[in-house]
């Protein structure tokens, strides 16, 4: 997992250089502008990751820390509105030359909170009022703040993290469905009342209908990916980044990968995300406690779902949403929290196979000893996870 | 037992099932994610393999601009290698509409310089912008002066491009042979049209990689391949003399039009082909369509008496008569199947030769009747009538010769004397070429060879040859035709210093309204060759609708004489008869000093005559023609004062002079002075300056 994550992050630095050098030269006269910034962020990110790796995740399971994090996130999300809009949205807090995106942090904070909260509600996960409503309320509050920025993509990611964690923890599907219905209505309303969202939706359905205007990003993205072919045009040989493809170094970096490295390169990246998924899930499921498991699961799915969603946008499988490709896209405020998440996951994975004597949490090992059926399924899952990994890592 | 186990399982599920349910649910999440991954993989494979071609093409379309670069059209040269058509560089201007901020203002600045209405120009630019065009023509093929003015405006979004423009240095000369080109440099007439593919060359392509803002960052050029050069059989000098003589004749006789062709019967090469009125191919669009029509091969006329050679030669070839045989011209009338045909004059008993010389209709009809329809038709076709000659010019007609099956019993009464048939001047010239060339007809042609730009010959004329009559018959006929000029209807065709032979023809035109012969519209023609024994040229002159005198012997024969007299010495044909004119040198023989003076005078005159030929002419702009008269040793220095460096250099290059330029601007001084004789290869000094 460490290899997969750091590999992706380093690859990201290189790809950011390839995708941004022309633009950087145009804007700043320095083709390495974005490259250097991304490299600095990567170093910071790695430092944070190593710190998180050595930071016992169980110390996060602390009421004060969890709520402090949550409150801090909310405050930062509110603070965002005090800063001027960039690209038409209040997403950034600019401090001393650095800009941070609280919405990226909120994913981490939400995952920690939910893991803590759901673990506390162990045994009554199915409860509507005791578990479901508070979890939804916190998620909803964060998501609403993020939507207000506006950053629908990240809000959706928050929802995904919440749904995945609640579902895995044991929330009844009926409750989730109840929450999904108004959310769905909300999304539809938003599509109808925010004109550019509607346009995006229409262009998603038929991007070629208006390749000059609203379908521009999607069309340019498809052209980039398609013209790459099987082998690609070669690293740094991409042409779409010559201002055809918008956000080539951030949200649409996967299109540059597809163009320059071809089908083989794109599939390799997808595969590495797959490996990351397997490794992350193995760490989560091998966690000695529920908190670790849920936290790990939340963090891994947050990253992988975001990655898949970003790639799907690039390939025009889903409507355009501005979210970056984890590890690879330019931007420290995305990279650093992602690497911190990886650090936490790595820390959780160190506890794999151990047991905590933390009673009442339904530790896995005691469960395994007692019943055959469930244990078998757990072992099966473990094997499933292990076999392909040994294949890849020998 | 089973119940117990069940109970245990249930209770376990109730109390401790959460983690296992979590694992199961995690498995569901994982499955969904794996499924998502598969969808992405499928999509990637689809886009990058099946859709690759389509999308890559779209990428090229937006990333690359392919600009066609025009190739240089090949030269058209006369038989001596003198340039009749060449391409010169001109500047064209185009707009990139998106780069223009204010169309109105741009149009206002440009409009007076490019000669396009301001409103139209504005509309054109606006439309280009609306339709998101990358390229809109503003002005095509401006000369250096205009181009400089446009460039001086430094307009945003207006760019220039070098475009070759076809240029005919001799103006009208040989226009019907050369043809002309359209604005897109595609041949639209003459040799330019027929050999357009070869002459035009292959367009080059300039691929420019551009970013989304259409800024170029790299380019790849495929050089255009220059066109091939066509070498004509036309001799510029012969062509010039022919045109001059014809134009003068058409003007003097106030005729509607006229045609003259000079053909070398020994090779089938057309030395000159002229029509009057003519046009300037440099500005073909300004001329009337009838001026551009090539009468020499499109005008079907009833040949009249010139056609009688068919009946005469056939009868001699078939040994039905001999030149000295007597024939009764029946006092000028003959009954053909109930139709009476008259002679213009009542002849009695004449020899065959006399009958031809005096152009008796009765005699010709009698010979035709002796031959019979079948044989007559056969000879008509053998001479090439009723079929295209295959000359390398567009729009040739095959004439009108009815198949023998559709002849009426009365037909011979018309056909033998050149009615009821339609021929083109070129067909007639080729037919007389057969008689001149000992009975072998060589297809008339006017392209000698075509050369690629590197000089390799890619096409060489291989004219078809066909024996029409025996050499003996041809020789006999030549002798008979000579008597036409000596004592017959064409005494005005007698050539100074050379024996000449030929036949006059005068035909009434058919009035298109009444479908009967017109009493006022005639076509007078003369076709002949010289010298008689070994003909070097066949010349046909056709004058359409002359006012006043209309007989071929009066309107066409003198033109033949004028052309032949001028071109035969130029073609190095040795005179074969005495100059009947009083010889000034001979008459002054007694006085050596006087003789010397006369000789010098004659030489000067000859030189002056030669000097009327436009040896070279250069366009400055499109229509100004500079004449640099040729002299015995070289050319007379043209007046270059006032010319731009570029134009002066071009003129000098064409004259074969080395130019030494000093200064810039317009030529103010030149050595040698205008009118001085300069030899090719000589260095001329030209000083340029600005007259502010």
């Amino acid at each position: 997992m460490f290899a997969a994550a750091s590999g992706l992050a380093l690859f990201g630095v290189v790809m950011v250089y390839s995708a941004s050098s022309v633009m950087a030269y145009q804007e700043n006269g320095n083709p390495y502008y974005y490259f250097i910034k991304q490299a600095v962020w990567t170093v910071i990110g790695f430092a944070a990751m190593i710190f998180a790796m050595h930071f016992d995740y169980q110390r996060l399971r602390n009421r004060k820390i969890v709520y402090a994090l949550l409150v801090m996130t909310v405050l930062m999300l509110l603070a965002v509105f005090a800063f001027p809009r960039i690209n038409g949205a209040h997403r950034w807090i600019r401090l001393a030359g650095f800009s941070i995106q609280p919405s990226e942090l909120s994913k981490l904070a939400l995952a920690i909170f939910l893991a803590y909260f759901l673990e506390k509600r162990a045994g009554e996960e199915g409860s509507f009022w005791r578990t479901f409503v508070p979890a939804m309320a916190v998620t909803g509050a964060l998501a609403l703040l993020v939507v207000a920025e506006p950053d629908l993509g990240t809000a959706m990611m928050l929802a995904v993290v919440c749904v995945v964690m609640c579902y895995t923890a044991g929330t009844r599907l009926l409750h989730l469905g109840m929450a999904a219905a108004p959310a769905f209505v909300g999304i539809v309303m938003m599509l109808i009342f925010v004109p550019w969202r509607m346009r995006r939706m229409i262009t998603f359905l038929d991007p070629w209908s208006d390749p000059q205007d609203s379908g521009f990003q999607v069309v340019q993205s498809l052209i980039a990916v398609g013209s790459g072919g099987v082998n690609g045009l070669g690293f740094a040989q991409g042409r779409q980044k010559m201002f055809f493809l918008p956000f080539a170094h951030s949200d649409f970096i996967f299109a540059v990968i597809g163009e320059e490295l071809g089908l083989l390169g794109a599939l390799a990246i997808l595969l590495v995300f797959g490996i990351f998924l397997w490794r992350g899930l193995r760490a989560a499921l091998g966690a000695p406690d529920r908190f670790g498991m849920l936290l790990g699961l939340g963090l891994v799915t947050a990253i992988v779902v975001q990655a898949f969603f970003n790639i799907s946008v690039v390939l025009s499988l889903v409507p355009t949403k501005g979210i970056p490709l984890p590890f690879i896209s330019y931007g420290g405020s995305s990279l650093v929290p992602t690497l911190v998440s990886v650090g936490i996951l790595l820390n959780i994975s160190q506890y794999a196979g151990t047991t905590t004597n933390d009673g009442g949490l339904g530790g896995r090992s005691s469960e395994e000893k007692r019943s055959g059926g469930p244990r078998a399924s757990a072992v099966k899952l473990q094997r499933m996870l292990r076999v392909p990994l040994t294949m890849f890592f020998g | 037992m089973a119940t117990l186990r069940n109970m245990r399982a249930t209770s376990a599920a109730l109390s401790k099932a959460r983690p296992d349910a979590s694992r199961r649910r995690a498995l569901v999440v994982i499955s969904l994610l794996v499924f998502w991954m598969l969808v992405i993989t499928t999509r990637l494979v689809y886009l990058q393999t099946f859709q690759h071609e389509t999308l890559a093409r779209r990428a090229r379309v937006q990333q690359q601009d392919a600009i066609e670069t025009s190739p240089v059209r090949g030269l058209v040269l006369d038989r001596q290698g003198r340039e009749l058509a060449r391409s010169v560089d001109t500047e064209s201007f185009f707009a990139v509409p998106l780069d223009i901020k204010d169309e109105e203002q741009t149009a206002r600045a440009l409009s007076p310089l490019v000669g396009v209405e301001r409103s139209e120009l504005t509309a054109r630019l606006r439309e280009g912008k609306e339709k998101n065009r990358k390229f809109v023509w503003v002005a095509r093929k401006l000369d250096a002066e205009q181009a400089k003015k446009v460039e001086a405006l430094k307009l945003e979004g207006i760019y220039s491009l070098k475009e070759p423009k076809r240029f005919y240095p001799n103006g009208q000369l040989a226009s019907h042979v050369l043809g002309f080109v359209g604005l897109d440099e595609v041949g639209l007439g003459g040799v330019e049209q027929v050999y357009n593919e070869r002459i035009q060359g292959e367009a080059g392509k300039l691929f420019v990689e551009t970013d989304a803002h259409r800024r170029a960052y790299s380019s790849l050029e495929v050089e255009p391949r220059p066109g091939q050069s066509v070498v004509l059989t036309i001799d510029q000098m012969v062509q010039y003399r022919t045109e001059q003589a014809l134009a003068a004749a058409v003007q003097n006789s106030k005729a509607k039009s006229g045609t003259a062709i000079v053909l070398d019967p020994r090779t089938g090469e057309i030395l000159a082909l002229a029509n009057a009125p003519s046009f300037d191919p440099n500005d073909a669009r300004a001329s009337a369509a009838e001026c551009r029509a090539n009468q020499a091969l499109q005008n079907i006329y009833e040949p009249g008496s010139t056609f009688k050679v068919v009946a005469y030669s056939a009868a001699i070839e078939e040994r039905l008569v001999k030149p000295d045989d007597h024939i009764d011209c029946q006092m000028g009338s003959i009954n053909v199947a109930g139709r009476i045909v008259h002679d213009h004059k009542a002849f009695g008993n004449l020899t065959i030769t006399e009958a031809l010389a005096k152009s008796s209709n009765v005699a010709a009809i009698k010979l035709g009747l002796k031959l019979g329809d079948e044989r007559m038709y056969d000879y008509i076709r053998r001479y090439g009538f009723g079929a295209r000659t295959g000359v390398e010019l567009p729009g040739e007609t095959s004439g009108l010769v009815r198949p023998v099956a559709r002849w009426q019993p009365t037909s011979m009464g018309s056909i033998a004397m050149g009615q009821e048939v339609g021929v083109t001047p070129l067909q007639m010239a080729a037919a007389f070429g057969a008689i001149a060339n000992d009975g072998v007809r060589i297809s008339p042609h006017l392209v000698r060879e075509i050369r690629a730009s590197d000089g390799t010959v890619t096409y060489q004329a291989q004219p078809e040859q066909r024996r029409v009559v025996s050499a003996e018959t041809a020789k006999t006929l030549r002798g008979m035709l000579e008597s036409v000029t000596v004592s017959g209807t064409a005494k005005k065709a007698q050539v100074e210093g050379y024996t000449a032979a030929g036949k006059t023809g005068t035909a009434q035109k058919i009035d298109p309204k009444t479908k009967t012969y017109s009493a006022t519209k005639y076509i007078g023609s003369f076709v002949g060759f010289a010298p008689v024994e070994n003909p070097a040229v066949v010349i046909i002159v056709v004058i359409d609708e002359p006012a006043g005198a209309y007989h071929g012997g009066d309107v066409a024969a003198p033109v033949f004489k004028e052309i032949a007299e001028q071109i035969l010495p130029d073609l190095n044909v040795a005179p074969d008869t005495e100059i009947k004119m009083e010889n000034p040198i001979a008459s002054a023989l007694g006085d050596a000093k006087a003789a010397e003076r006369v000789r010098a005078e004659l030489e000067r005159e000859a030189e002056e005559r030669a000097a009327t030929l436009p040896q070279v002419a250069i366009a400055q702009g499109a229509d100004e023609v500079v004449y640099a008269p040729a002299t015995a040793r070289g050319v007379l220095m043209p007046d270059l004062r006032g010319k731009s460096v570029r134009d002066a250099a071009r003129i000098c290059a064409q004259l074969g002079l080395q130019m030494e330029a000093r200064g810039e601007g317009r030529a103010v001084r030149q050595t040698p002075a205008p009118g001085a004789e300069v030899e090719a290869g000589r260095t001329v000094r030209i000083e340029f300056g600005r007259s502010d």
Side-chain angles (χ1 to χ4, degrees), chain A residues 171 220 226 240 263 315 364, chain B residues 23 25 43 48 52 62:
Chain A
T171 307
Q220 293 304 329
Q240 284 293 93
L263 180 62
L315 302 182
R364 183 187 51 117
Chain B
R23 288 208 172 73
R25 288 189 164 193
R43 178 76 172 165
Q48 300 198 298
H52 170 60
Q62 68 176 18

Side-chain angles (χ1 to χ4, degrees), chain B residues 431-443:
Chain B
F432 269 71
I435 296 165
N437 190 38
D438 286 342
V440 177
R441 178 187 179 277
I442 301 178
S443 296

Side-chain angles (χ1 to χ4, degrees), chain A residues 39-50:
Chain A
V40 168
W41 278 119
T42 307
V43 171
I44 294 170
F46 270 108
M49 179 174 82
I50 288 162

Side-chain angles (χ1 to χ4, degrees), chain B residues 170-431:
Chain B
N170 300 312
Q172 296 203 346
L173 190 88
S175 56
H176 288 102
V177 173
L178 298 172
F180 55 97
V181 297
L183 199 56
D184 49 3
E185 297 293 296
V186 171
L188 295 179
V191 171
E192 296 269 30
Q193 180 183 341
V194 172
Y195 291 103
N196 186 53
E197 296 256 304
R198 285 168 181 268
I199 297 176
Q200 74 181 355
E202 273 170 52
K205 262 197 176 157
L206 182 65
F207 296 101
V208 187
E209 307 268 343
T210 60
D211 66 17
H213 309 310
R214 303 242 73 85
R215 282 179 299 227
Y217 60 87
S218 86
S219 66
L220 170 81
E221 187 171 7
V222 179
E223 289 275 333
R225 281 183 50 194
Q228 305 184 9
S229 292
V230 175
V231 183
L232 298 178
T233 61
I234 297 288
D235 186 304
Q236 181 184 287
M237 198 158 53
V238 175
Q239 176 75 29
Y240 175 72
R241 303 230 190 277
T242 306
E243 281 182 18
Q244 294 296 307
L246 178 70
V250 167
Q251 203 180 2
N252 291 339
S253 61
K254 297 187 179 65
K256 196 178 110 194
S257 65
T259 296
I261 301 168
V262 179
L263 183 76
D264 184 339
R266 299 162 296 188
T267 56
E269 289 180 335
I270 296 171
L271 301 177
L273 188 153
N275 296 294
S278 187
F279 68 99
D280 183 354
N282 287 309
D283 193 13
R285 278 175 303 166
S287 62
E290 57 262 32
C291 294
R292 296 198 300 263
N294 198 342
Q295 308 285 357
L297 35 116
Q298 290 168 348
N299 179 24
I300 303 174
Y301 71 103
E302 279 198 339
S305 305
T306 52
F307 200 72
K308 286 174 186 163
V309 293
V310 178
Y312 277 85
S313 62
I316 292 167
E317 177 79 3
E318 299 291 329
R319 299 180 193 288
L320 300 176
V321 290
K322 287 198 282 295
D324 299 330
D325 287 353
H326 282 264
I327 190 163
D328 181 9
C329 294
Q330 303 175 159
M331 295 319 284
S333 82
I334 185 169
N335 185 330
V336 185
R339 184 177 146 228
I340 311 284
V341 181
H342 295 281
D343 265 337
H344 54 96
K345 206 167 149 189
F347 298 116
N349 217 357
L350 296 174
T351 62
I352 296 290
T353 307
E354 283 167 346
L356 182 64
K358 299 195 188 309
S359 201
S360 163
N361 291 339
V362 175
I365 291 167
K366 283 176 94 170
L367 291 178
L369 291 170
K370 269 189 186 171
L371 280 163
D373 290 359
E374 297 284 344
R375 271 195 289 191
M376 183 68 186
Y377 178 73
D378 182 39
Y379 276 93
I380 291 172
R381 299 294 307 212
R382 275 157 77 174
Y383 272 110
F385 296 111
R388 290 190 181 91
T389 64
V391 73
E392 305 92 329
L393 289 174
E396 192 188 6
T397 59
S398 52
L400 291 170
V401 175
R402 272 181 291 145
V404 69
R406 286 172 46 202
W407 287 14
Q408 305 293 323
T410 55
S411 288
M412 189 57 85
S414 305
I415 292 171
M417 57 180 205
Q419 291 183 346
E420 271 189 40
V421 288
V423 305
T424 66
L426 188 59
Q427 284 175 336
M428 187 55 81

Side-chain angles (χ1 to χ4, degrees), chain A residues 42-94:
Chain A
T42 307
V43 171
I44 294 170
F46 270 108
M49 179 174 82
I50 288 162
F51 173 77
M53 205 169 88
H54 294 292
F55 182 87
D56 188 352
Y57 77 94
Q58 292 188 7
R59 280 161 66 185
L60 289 172
R61 202 170 63 194
N62 178 309
R63 190 187 163 83
K64 282 177 192 161
I65 290 179
V66 170
Y67 284 102
L69 256 175
L70 203 59
V71 168
M72 204 175 84
T73 306
V74 170
L75 286 176
M76 280 166 79
L77 282 173
L78 287 169
V80 152
F81 295 98
F83 290 89
R85 286 166 181 264
I86 297 175
N87 290 342
H90 299 285
R91 286 185 195 173
W92 287 269
I93 292 179
R94 292 191 152 274

